[in-house]
Amino acid sequence: NSDSQHSTVDPRYTRSLGYYTEQDLPYYYELASQFATSDRWFASVMGPTIPNRMYLFTASSFGFIRPDPNVHHTPYTQKTIFQLLNDHGITWKYYYQSGDVYLSQFDIWNDPASQGRVRNIAEYYSILADPNADKMLPQVVFIEQAASAQLNEHPDNKWGMQPGAANTKKIVDALMNSAAWKTSALIYTYDEGGGLLEHVPPFNVPAPDSTPP
């Protein structure tokens, strides 16, 4: 579609299947031209965000194919990647941007070894602005999406997805312009692709555990 058709046919980019041009998302096109991208990326579950977030944290959704209907569930006891980091003495911080902290749904939230590791994103920017950022930054950093601030790049957010992309640029630029950049590897990923839109079939992988969907 031409730019003029965008404004009349789908002004908010809410269709379930579509694409974004370089004019829509210049920053991501630039990143794709400079760094490695995954052109065979598949969500762990052909489903919504929460089960895929479970995979991201624990390598399984322990049977869930939809969000847990019990919003007041007891904390999940499955071992997370953050506990694995603790076990191996690897330092980490979990930075939140808008109060969204998915880690609170797991029992690691109450683990004394993890106390003080969940911090406001302001600390991330403060560390990276320091000349000693390379030594001050933890070995592993996880940055939580800013869902409640509508900066998670959903096309149906109040202002579309461009503000979310701009927020991502802010996060990445802070690292690239810091003393920590020379020794850092940054992985930018999404929970899931938003639907069953892949043009090739996913490859088969072993079941993560014995819990059926």
Side-chain angles (χ1 to χ4, degrees):
N1 288 343
S2 68
D3 289 340
S4 61
Q5 288 175 311
H6 276 309
S7 62
T8 57
V9 177
D10 191 21
R12 290 287 304 280
Y13 302 95
T14 54
R15 289 177 170 176
S16 60
L17 177 62
Y19 67 92
Y20 295 95
T21 68
E22 187 172 3
Q23 287 69 42
D24 295 321
L25 297 174
Y27 177 65
Y28 286 142
Y29 273 77
E30 175 64 17
L31 282 186
S33 72
Q34 300 291 331
F35 299 98
T37 61
S38 174
D39 59 0
R40 287 296 303 274
W41 182 88
F42 301 97
S44 298
V45 181
M46 288 195 292
T49 294
I50 296 303
N52 281 290
R53 298 216 84 193
M54 291 176 173
Y55 264 95
L56 183 64
F57 281 21
T58 72
S60 174
S61 65
F62 20 99
F64 285 102
I65 60 172
R66 300 179 183 86
D68 191 334
N70 180 12
V71 295
H72 301 295
H73 63 79
T74 56
Y76 300 126
T77 59
Q78 286 78 3
K79 190 172 187 176
T80 69
I81 188 173
F82 303 103
Q83 286 159 304
L84 193 64
L85 295 174
N86 283 344
D87 292 346
H88 291 273
I90 298 173
T91 60
W92 58 273
K93 288 285 183 69
Y94 184 119
Y95 290 117
Y96 62 89
Q97 302 182 74
S98 58
D100 307 289
V101 182
Y102 185 56
L103 191 63
S104 64
Q105 300 200 30
F106 295 82
D107 63 0
I108 187 178
W109 185 251
N110 299 310
D111 183 349
S114 302
Q115 298 305 305
R117 297 187 185 272
V118 179
R119 313 285 291 179
N120 187 282
I121 191 71
E123 180 183 279
Y124 167 83
Y125 291 117
S126 177
I127 289 175
L128 293 181
D130 193 286
N132 295 312
D134 192 31
K135 297 178 180 179
M136 297 170 62
L137 204 64
Q139 291 169 278
V140 175
V141 167
F142 178 84
I143 299 179
E144 176 69 66
Q145 63 165 336
S148 59
Q150 296 199 20
L151 293 176
N152 56 358
E153 300 182 26
H154 284 195
D156 60 350
N157 282 342
K158 183 177 181 180
W159 305 112
M161 66 182 295
Q162 280 81 3
N167 184 61
T168 297
K169 183 179 186 301
K170 178 182 176 183
I171 292 170
V172 176
D173 281 356
L175 179 61
M176 292 181 69
N177 294 324
S178 76
W181 175 243
K182 61 185 179 182
T183 58
S184 297
L186 186 146
I187 300 172
Y188 184 69
T189 188
Y190 294 85
D191 300 312
E192 32 80 21
L196 311 180
L197 307 179
E198 186 54 74
H199 66 290
V200 292
F203 50 86
N204 291 323
V205 296
D209 49 43
S210 60
T211 305

